[in-house]
Amino acid sequence: MAKMEVKTSLLDNMIGVGDMVLLEPLNEDSFIDNLKQRFDHSEIYTYIGSVVISVNPYRTLPIYTPDKVEEYRNRNFYELSPHIYALADEAYRSLRDQDKDQCILITGESGAGKTEASKLVMSYVAAVCGKGAEVNQVKEQLLQSNPVLEAFGNAKTARNDNSSRFGKYMDIEFNFKGDPLGGVISNYLLEKSRVVKQPRGERNFHIFYQMLSGASDDLLDKLKLERDFSKYNYLSLDSAKVNGIDDASNFRTVRNAMQIVGFLDHETQSVLAIVAAVLKLGNIEFKPESRVNGLDESKVKDKNELKEICELMGIEQTVLERAFSFRTVEAKQEKVSTTLNVAQAYYARDALAKNMYSRLFSWLVQRINESIKAQSKVRKKVMGVLDIYGFEIFEENSFEQFIINYCNEKLQQIFIELTLKEEQEEYIREGIEWTHIEYFNNAVICDLIENNQNGIIAMLDEECLRPGTVTDDTFLEKLNQVCATHQHFESRMSKCSRFLNDTSLPHCCFRIQHYAGKVMYQVEGFVDKNNDLLYRDLSQAMWKANHSLIKELFPEGNPAKINLKRPPTAGSQFKASVSTLMKNLQTKNPNYIRCIKPNDKKAAHIFNDALVRHQVNYLGLLENVRVRRAGFAFRQPYEPCLKRYKMLCKQTWPHWKGPARDGVEVLLNNLKIPKEEYSFGRSKIFIRNPRTLFKLEELRKERLEDLATLIQKIYRGWKCRTRFLLMKKSQIVVSAWVRRYLQQNKYKRIKSSTIVVQSYTRGWKARKILRELKYQKRCNEAVTTIAAYWHGTQVRREYRKFFRANAGKKIYAFTIQRIIQKYFLEMKNKMPSVSPIDNNWPTRPYLFLDSTHKEMKRIFHLWRCKKYRDQFTEQKKFIYDEKLEASELFKDKKLSYPASVGQPFHGDYLEISKNPKYKKLSDTIEEKIIIADTVNKINRANGKGATRIFLLTKSNVTIADQKSGQIKLEVPLGDITKVSMSSQNDGFFALHLKEGSAAACKGDFLFSSDHLIEMATKLYRTTLMQTKQKIYIEIADEFLVQFKQDKVCVKFIQGTQKNGNIPTCKRKNNRLLEVAVP
């Protein structure tokens, strides 16, 4: 629908008929054609009164957006196009505003979209109810219960990729404001036989595939599973992968949903462990083994699988193995133990797997109920949502189909009763005379199935409980005896002769004529499925498990609570559940959603007439329409009716002043509608025949066209008048602007001419004044010139006697003096900064001042250097003296010198006095330490280095061990004669000692240091101050050192180093030591 289009009724822009009650003519073909027409236009919802028919589109439609939710919120049911939101809103508002408990019954066959419909209802209610942290948490838990139940209760079938294999009824509880408080879920008849066997093309329950696909490798290892589906006999392989289903992603969704609902981590792990155990049970195989008494006994073939299952469940292997091989029958005080053959062992295995999964599913529902139940004890309003399997007619129908169809018979019965009841209540409420409506009452079919004396379920229970040989055939014989005369029961073996020659009815089958049609049931398996036996040995084995959840699922296995009474059969349990459900539904106001599957291919845009016709028949939709139309086909409150049709009468158009009922009466009388076609209620008008409504719609359509023409005519006239007035106004404006423009141009021309005349006049006057002024100026100049010459002559005559021969020199000296004064004044303003490194100096103004200019520059530089030195402290002067000394010693001689210029001389790099490691060494040395650093002492034999501490004091050079701090050698400064080093970028230096001194017994020393420049400088200065003698600093790439009695040449060469840029030293022979410098 376009955004600007506003719909006020479902009759507006209607495709087909939106409400089947208005369908004319009403027959099966027109009903199907109307559904198909709407389906082809993506209108998947159609009404039958207040019942919603939903056709599965098998594709995503843009009709469930938040905007749609707001569009249907608080709107009348018939106000907009048919939609599931309209029904959900009607139910919610009735519950909130009228305090009526509601139930929404969703029926249809598998694949018709029941589960999606229930999700849409719940999501709509969650969207329109209250907000708040607590309310949002309740809504989230209610919504997140769906993914958990779908994973464990849904499966891929031939008809539906996400088919619910159980019935679900959820009661959502609300407070007086309409905010959700919690909920309660009931489940019905899980199809547990699917656990052990699936038909071709179908899958087991989703959770098995999700767990194998989405669980992490660590989790699979804990569960003793492998990711390969083919490893498990309970999983069908032909449909293991389904297009459009991401099992791994869904598993993560399920885990997250369980956390939101309130499952604890250990509970989730326990649930997955049981699922894994069920899956692995299918891999247990048995082999026969003969005993002495001639009976066959079953034995487990591969005990590894059994061992892993027992580890998962915490059961002793021998206990479970015995339960698969023996069966104990207990009667009063006697116990009889019999062996199980292979077939019975497989039956026991499958029965255990089915019971474990079924009980686990029931526990999940119970656990979810604990989490979502309402916490407050205030009075609650309830909305029930029933999502249950629809009527099933297959080629082979068994016990499950019999039970499902029985449930649908009960739902059909309550549907007809409540529909008629609702019709009758509305007629009474509106004061309309009620006429009895004839309809097919299926109570006789329900009685055939559920009668406590002669019903099929009662006879099946009786057959299961009686002693002796009980088979499916004996059950069929009993049916033939009791039900042979029933008009809705058929069998070849009955006493009724009309079925003896019916070849379409096999001997092993019976047929029931349900409200939806005849269904033939194969009697095979009825007794076993109704018994649903689990051997007591298996129950007791499960109860012995260490796994707390397993023990909780099998309470009957407790020996202390042993009960010899036979458990109730599956049929009787389901009958009791259905009875409770019916009582629950009868206390609530019903709302119906009938789901229809358009095709078996699960494809979009395909509408199979035959398939839809079959569903329409067994859902009883035509009968529903006839029941609704038996009274009045259409009803509407007076206000909306008058608002919609008031343009059809002159008295009511455009405004009716008076009660709406009187206006509707005047309208219908004016239109000459026969009085038998309508009736007036207290608040609504009731129209009997759809043709009357369509006639009103046709007249309204024609009248709307006339009104549209009138509106167009008035609009066009108004538009033309408005355009004429606008053009007239525009013409006046344009004329005014043109006249203004012409007058402006005329004024500009006159003004321009006036300015020209004025300029010429002013010019003439100015030139005349200028001539007069010039003449006066020339006269003044002439007088001044004559006077000046005259005064000059007089002065020269007066002062001629004072002039001498050296007057030129004095003038020259005076000129030079003035120039020099000017030079110094200019220099005062152009002086550079007082920074010693600033080389700027003003340019020389005169060539003859060149020497003066240079001398001034030199004097200024000396002055600012003195000023700079006067700022130094004593310590800073000492540092600069050292740097100056280093410059004199090493500048342009040693390559490593430039790198040392910017580095300050620290001296005590090791902080001897502060470092506790060298406390002993610090205490030994009494003099002030000038430099303390680590050096590499070069071994005289091989050239390798050893780390030592180098200390320089005022009188000694001390060498100490780096690790222990022990003094190795002390050399007085007077014994050092020379220091040798290379010109390269390295840290090697040699200390030459005085021959005959105590320290020179082993010869000279060769060291390597990172602070060579600083060490040499400080050593040079300290020796000079103490001994008043200069140490000779030798800088050469080859020099001799005295090692004991030998003189060895130390040679520095260029070479590539393995250790990067670190110089290496190597002893070549007795006379040569090479240092490789990078």
Side-chain angles (χ1 to χ4, degrees):
M1 189 191 302
K3 286 188 177 180
M4 297 303 293
E5 182 182 351
V6 178
K7 293 193 68 172
T8 59
S9 171
L10 63 84
L11 298 171
D12 287 333
N13 306 311
M14 187 166 57
I15 297 171
V17 178
D19 190 344
M20 289 293 188
V21 176
L22 306 178
L23 187 63
E24 194 67 33
L26 176 63
N27 54 54
E28 191 174 281
D29 291 336
S30 63
F31 192 99
I32 302 299
D33 289 342
N34 188 54
L35 283 178
K36 186 176 188 302
Q37 182 182 359
R38 292 179 61 78
F39 178 80
D40 291 340
H41 289 81
S42 299
E43 294 284 347
I44 63 171
Y45 296 113
T46 308
Y47 292 155
I48 301 178
S50 60
V51 178
V52 176
I53 303 174
S54 171
V55 184
N56 193 343
Y58 288 115
R59 61 193 174 101
T60 303
L61 295 176
I63 58 174
Y64 307 109
T65 61
D67 292 338
K68 275 289 179 184
V69 172
E70 289 302 318
E71 184 179 343
Y72 280 85
R73 187 173 186 173
N74 295 327
R75 302 293 286 270
N76 184 278
F77 185 77
Y78 297 103
E79 191 171 343
L80 300 173
S81 299
H83 202 290
I84 195 171
Y85 284 170
L87 181 137
D89 187 74
E90 183 77 12
Y92 176 70
R93 285 191 293 113
S94 297
L95 176 138
R96 183 191 63 192
D97 302 335
Q98 302 175 20
D99 202 17
K100 291 182 180 179
D101 288 349
Q102 304 289 317
C103 65
I104 297 176
L105 308 181
I106 307 172
T107 56
E109 71 172 54
S110 179
K114 300 187 299 299
T115 301
E116 289 302 316
S118 67
K119 289 181 186 176
L120 290 170
V121 170
M122 291 178 64
S123 64
Y124 179 84
V125 173
V128 300
C129 64
K131 308 295 181 184
E134 187 174 343
V135 173
N136 288 339
Q137 182 182 1
V138 172
K139 290 193 290 188
E140 188 68 14
Q141 286 185 335
L142 290 172
L143 293 175
Q144 290 300 325
S145 65
N146 280 324
V148 180
L149 295 179
E150 283 186 18
F152 288 87
N154 288 24
K156 190 263 182 192
T157 65
R159 298 185 175 186
N160 187 1
D161 290 343
N162 187 31
S163 175
S164 297
R165 307 317 299 159
F166 70 103
K168 181 179 75 172
Y169 176 74
M170 174 183 279
D171 268 334
I172 307 174
E173 299 172 337
F174 298 83
N175 63 11
F176 71 97
K177 295 184 293 185
D179 296 338
L181 298 173
V184 179
I185 299 174
S186 303
N187 65 300
Y188 302 95
L189 195 65
L190 178 72
E191 188 190 11
K192 58 186 178 183
S193 60
R194 180 171 292 272
V195 174
V196 299
K197 185 179 180 182
Q198 306 92 41
R200 181 177 296 277
E202 298 189 4
R203 294 205 315 178
N204 210 323
F205 291 102
H206 290 326
I207 187 62
F208 295 111
Y209 304 93
Q210 291 174 357
M211 184 170 64
L212 294 180
S213 300
S216 64
D217 293 336
D218 291 341
L219 180 57
L220 289 180
D221 289 341
K222 288 181 183 178
L223 299 178
K224 305 184 186 305
L225 295 175
E226 299 179 37
R227 212 173 287 279
D228 187 2
F229 297 157
S230 63
K231 299 286 187 181
Y232 305 100
N233 297 331
Y234 279 167
L235 300 183
S236 60
L237 300 179
D238 53 344
S239 299
K241 295 289 185 181
V242 181
N243 292 333
I245 295 181
D246 186 352
D247 290 316
S249 174
N250 290 342
F251 182 70
R252 291 189 291 272
T253 303
V254 171
R255 291 289 297 270
N256 183 56
M258 293 179 75
Q259 186 176 4
I260 293 174
V261 170
F263 283 82
L264 303 177
D265 290 341
H266 72 86
E267 290 177 328
T268 304
Q269 287 297 119
S270 299
V271 169
L272 295 179
I274 294 177
V275 174
V278 170
L279 192 58
K280 293 180 75 64
L281 273 173
N283 292 351
I284 295 180
E285 296 183 349
F286 301 95
K287 61 182 179 181
E289 188 174 292
S290 299
R291 301 185 71 188
V292 178
N293 56 8
L295 297 176
D296 284 342
E297 179 184 348
S298 65
K299 290 291 183 182
V300 178
K301 282 186 181 180
D302 183 5
K303 296 188 178 182
N304 286 332
E305 289 283 354
L306 184 64
K307 178 183 177 183
E308 291 181 351
I309 293 172
C310 292
E311 289 175 358
L312 282 172
M313 298 191 294
I315 303 174
E316 292 184 14
Q317 185 173 340
T318 55
V319 173
L320 187 58
E321 187 175 3
R322 175 174 174 76
F324 282 139
S325 301
F326 294 89
R327 179 188 179 189
T328 302
V329 179
E330 189 172 348
K332 294 184 180 180
Q333 302 300 323
E334 297 182 1
K335 289 185 180 180
V336 179
S337 181
T338 60
T339 60
L340 300 180
N341 57 30
V342 173
Q344 291 172 330
Y346 278 115
Y347 173 83
R349 179 201 69 179
D350 292 345
L352 177 61
K354 291 187 289 185
N355 271 273
M356 280 179 66
Y357 193 83
S358 174
R359 296 180 188 205
L360 174 64
F361 186 78
S362 299
W363 180 87
L364 283 171
V365 174
Q366 177 186 345
R367 179 66 182 80
I368 291 173
N369 285 338
E370 291 176 5
S371 294
I372 66 176
K373 68 181 179 181
Q375 302 298 323
S376 61
K377 296 183 180 180
V378 297
R379 182 177 177 275
K380 308 175 186 71
K381 304 175 183 180
V382 178
M383 177 185 289
V385 180
L386 178 65
D387 174 11
I388 202 162
Y389 11 63
F391 203 89
E392 293 188 349
I393 306 176
F394 299 144
E395 293 182 4
E396 296 181 1
N397 302 288
S398 186
F399 179 74
E400 290 84 3
Q401 283 68 46
F402 172 75
I403 289 294
I404 289 171
N405 293 342
Y406 160 61
C407 180
N408 278 272
E409 286 284 357
K410 297 292 290 182
L411 288 174
Q412 178 68 9
Q413 184 183 25
I414 196 173
F415 171 70
I416 295 296
E417 289 178 359
L418 292 177
T419 301
L420 291 174
K421 181 182 176 184
E422 183 183 359
E423 284 282 300
Q424 184 177 5
E425 286 179 351
E426 184 171 20
Y427 289 161
I428 294 172
R429 188 168 58 249
E430 293 292 330
I432 303 296
E433 183 180 353
W434 167 257
T435 56
H436 180 69
I437 299 173
E438 293 295 334
Y439 67 95
F440 170 68
N441 191 342
N442 67 336
V444 62
I445 303 174
C446 296
D447 185 69
L448 169 66
I449 298 172
E450 67 180 3
N451 187 282
N452 291 330
Q453 300 296 326
N454 299 323
I456 295 176
I457 293 178
M459 286 186 286
L460 180 59
D461 288 348
E462 182 181 336
E463 194 67 13
C464 290
L465 297 174
R466 76 174 177 83
T469 304
V470 177
T471 64
D472 296 319
D473 293 335
T474 60
F475 165 62
L476 183 58
E477 289 176 6
K478 194 173 189 68
L479 287 182
N480 291 332
Q481 294 172 7
V482 178
C483 304
T485 58
H486 199 286
Q487 58 180 342
H488 292 279
F489 179 84
E490 302 174 4
S491 171
R492 283 284 293 275
M493 303 300 292
S494 68
K495 296 177 182 179
C496 187
S497 60
R498 60 194 173 108
F499 303 125
L500 292 176
N501 298 321
D502 187 355
T503 57
S504 64
L505 183 61
H507 290 278
C508 60
C509 300
F510 66 91
R511 189 158 54 204
I512 296 178
Q513 186 172 351
H514 290 280
Y515 77 91
K518 293 183 178 181
V519 183
M520 184 174 65
Y521 299 101
Q522 291 185 341
V523 78
E524 181 183 356
F526 262 63
V527 174
D528 283 341
K529 292 177 181 178
N530 189 49
N531 271 325
D532 193 23
L533 286 179
L534 178 67
Y535 297 149
R536 183 173 291 123
D537 300 75
L538 288 171
S539 297
Q540 293 175 349
M542 294 297 104
W543 194 84
K544 292 177 182 178
N546 294 328
H547 198 290
S548 58
L549 183 54
I550 289 284
K551 184 173 288 191
E552 185 179 343
L553 296 181
F554 293 89
E556 74 275 14
N558 186 354
K561 299 181 180 179
I562 192 166
N563 186 4
L564 299 180
K565 185 178 179 181
R566 192 183 183 102
T569 61
S572 61
Q573 289 182 29
F574 189 73
K575 176 183 171 185
S577 299
V578 169
S579 176
T580 304
L581 176 64
M582 296 302 121
K583 291 178 182 177
N584 193 356
L585 296 180
Q586 285 177 339
T587 63
K588 296 178 173 62
N589 184 49
N591 301 271
Y592 299 96
I593 301 174
R594 302 293 209 178
C595 297
I596 291 179
K597 181 168 66 171
N599 60 78
D600 279 327
K601 298 179 180 179
K602 295 178 278 190
H605 307 294
I606 298 178
F607 190 92
N608 188 321
D609 289 11
L611 179 64
V612 174
R613 189 183 303 272
H614 170 70
Q615 295 173 80
V616 168
N617 286 332
Y618 81 63
L619 287 173
L621 299 183
L622 272 173
E623 191 169 73
N624 188 7
V625 178
R626 292 191 182 102
V627 168
R628 185 66 187 249
R629 287 179 56 168
F632 293 90
F634 183 76
R635 72 275 331 256
Q636 192 175 27
Y638 291 122
E639 286 284 352
C641 182
L642 181 61
K643 184 178 180 181
R644 184 168 184 82
Y645 300 112
K646 63 182 179 179
M647 73 286 297
L648 301 179
C649 176
K650 291 182 179 180
Q651 290 92 324
T652 58
W653 177 256
H655 300 292
W656 169 257
K657 296 179 181 179
R661 184 189 185 282
D662 297 343
V664 173
E665 187 173 3
V666 169
L667 174 67
L668 295 178
N669 290 334
N670 184 268
L671 294 174
K672 298 180 181 179
I673 304 293
K675 292 191 176 181
E676 60 270 14
E677 287 295 319
Y678 60 88
S679 181
F680 292 101
R682 291 188 176 90
S683 63
K684 295 180 181 179
I685 177 70
F686 288 77
I687 297 177
R688 188 177 302 278
N689 199 307
R691 285 193 297 271
T692 304
L693 180 65
F694 292 144
K695 179 182 178 182
L696 289 173
E697 284 296 314
E698 189 65 30
L699 292 172
R700 179 178 180 271
K701 184 178 179 181
E702 293 174 0
R703 181 60 178 156
L704 285 176
E705 290 177 357
D706 294 340
L707 290 174
T709 304
L710 178 63
I711 292 171
Q712 286 178 345
K713 181 185 74 172
I714 295 173
Y715 171 74
R716 286 171 181 158
W718 170 83
K719 188 175 180 181
C720 288
R721 284 192 299 276
T722 304
R723 187 170 182 272
F724 168 74
L725 294 174
L726 181 62
M727 290 179 67
K728 182 179 179 181
K729 182 179 178 181
S730 301
Q731 187 269 335
I732 294 171
V733 172
V734 171
S735 299
W737 277 90
V738 169
R739 287 193 294 271
R740 175 187 175 189
Y741 173 75
L742 294 174
Q743 290 298 322
Q744 283 178 340
N745 286 346
K746 182 178 179 181
Y747 167 75
K748 287 177 182 179
R749 287 196 300 272
I750 295 172
K751 183 179 179 181
S752 177
S753 302
T754 305
I755 291 171
V756 171
V757 172
Q758 287 177 345
S759 64
Y760 274 102
T761 303
R762 292 192 186 101
W764 172 77
K765 287 183 177 181
R767 285 190 295 275
K768 181 180 179 182
I769 293 171
L770 179 62
R771 283 194 299 270
E772 292 175 356
L773 291 174
K774 282 183 178 181
Y775 175 75
Q776 186 178 355
K777 182 180 179 182
R778 283 196 301 271
C779 290
N780 292 337
E781 286 177 352
V783 170
T784 302
T785 303
I786 294 170
Y789 274 99
W790 169 250
H791 288 305
T793 303
Q794 292 296 325
V795 169
R796 282 192 296 274
R797 288 177 181 174
E798 184 71 23
Y799 286 93
R800 184 171 297 162
K801 55 185 176 181
F802 298 107
F803 279 90
R804 301 291 185 268
N806 58 352
K809 292 181 180 180
K810 290 182 179 181
I811 294 172
Y812 173 77
F814 175 78
T815 304
I816 293 299
Q817 183 181 0
R818 294 297 297 166
I819 289 174
I820 292 174
Q821 286 178 351
K822 183 179 178 183
Y823 166 72
F824 281 114
L825 290 173
E826 289 179 353
M827 284 294 291
K828 177 182 177 182
N829 297 326
K830 295 181 180 178
M831 282 296 180
S833 66
V834 295
S835 174
I837 60 172
D838 188 357
N839 294 324
N840 293 325
W841 188 250
T843 56
R844 180 193 62 201
Y846 302 102
L847 182 62
F848 73 92
L849 292 176
D850 183 53
S851 58
T852 305
H853 195 68
K854 290 179 180 178
E855 185 63 19
M856 282 289 294
K857 180 178 181 182
R858 186 184 70 81
I859 294 171
F860 179 76
H861 181 67
L862 292 175
W863 173 79
R864 67 184 177 182
C865 287
K866 181 179 181 305
K867 293 284 288 183
Y868 185 75
R869 287 196 302 272
D870 290 343
Q871 298 173 5
F872 288 173
T873 61
E874 291 298 325
Q875 183 180 0
K876 202 167 184 181
K877 285 181 180 180
F878 183 78
I879 292 172
Y880 274 96
D881 286 343
E882 285 186 337
K883 286 288 185 180
L884 185 60
E885 194 76 55
S887 174
E888 293 174 355
L889 290 174
F890 301 109
K891 186 176 181 181
D892 299 331
K893 299 176 184 178
K894 181 71 174 172
L895 289 180
S896 61
Y897 169 74
S900 71
V901 173
Q903 298 176 355
F905 290 170
H906 291 297
D908 188 1
Y909 289 94
L910 302 181
E911 296 183 344
I912 294 291
S913 60
K914 298 180 182 178
N915 196 334
K917 180 179 177 182
Y918 302 119
K919 186 176 184 306
K920 183 178 179 182
L921 180 60
S922 176
D923 294 342
T924 306
I925 299 174
E926 298 178 354
E927 296 178 335
K928 180 183 177 182
I929 296 174
I930 298 171
I931 189 167
D933 195 9
T934 55
V935 297
N936 277 332
K937 177 180 172 296
I938 307 302
N939 192 298
R940 298 177 177 90
N942 53 22
K944 294 183 178 179
T947 305
R948 294 286 186 267
I949 297 175
F950 184 93
L951 300 175
L952 174 63
T953 62
K954 290 184 177 181
S955 57
N956 295 315
V957 170
T958 304
I959 307 299
D961 186 69
Q962 184 198 15
K963 295 181 179 178
S964 63
Q966 183 180 358
I967 296 175
K968 294 288 188 180
L969 183 67
E970 280 189 349
V971 181
L973 293 181
D975 292 346
I976 300 173
T977 59
K978 183 173 68 172
V979 178
S980 298
M981 62 187 71
S982 74
S983 63
Q984 305 296 324
N985 189 12
D986 64 274
F988 285 87
F989 67 97
L991 293 182
H992 299 271
L993 304 181
K994 187 186 294 183
E995 291 185 9
S997 64
C1001 60
K1002 292 185 179 181
D1004 300 335
F1005 290 97
L1006 186 60
F1007 297 104
S1008 174
S1009 172
D1010 294 335
H1011 305 99
L1012 170 61
I1013 303 299
E1014 182 179 357
M1015 280 188 176
T1017 303
K1018 287 183 181 290
L1019 180 61
Y1020 177 84
R1021 286 173 59 83
T1022 306
T1023 304
L1024 180 61
M1025 284 190 296
Q1026 294 298 320
T1027 63
K1028 307 301 181 182
Q1029 294 178 357
K1030 293 183 179 180
I1031 294 180
Y1032 176 55
I1033 305 294
E1034 180 187 9
I1035 299 176
D1037 289 343
E1038 288 188 22
F1039 53 81
L1040 293 176
V1041 293
Q1042 184 75 34
F1043 286 169
K1044 293 185 179 180
Q1045 304 300 324
D1046 299 328
K1047 287 192 179 291
V1048 178
C1049 177
V1050 180
K1051 184 178 182 180
F1052 292 83
I1053 62 172
Q1054 297 286 334
T1056 57
Q1057 305 300 316
K1058 296 181 180 178
N1059 298 328
N1061 294 328
I1062 300 174
T1064 58
C1065 182
K1066 188 174 182 182
R1067 183 75 178 262
K1068 288 291 186 178
N1069 50 49
N1070 292 338
R1071 300 293 181 181
L1072 179 61
L1073 189 94
E1074 276 190 359
V1075 179
V1077 181

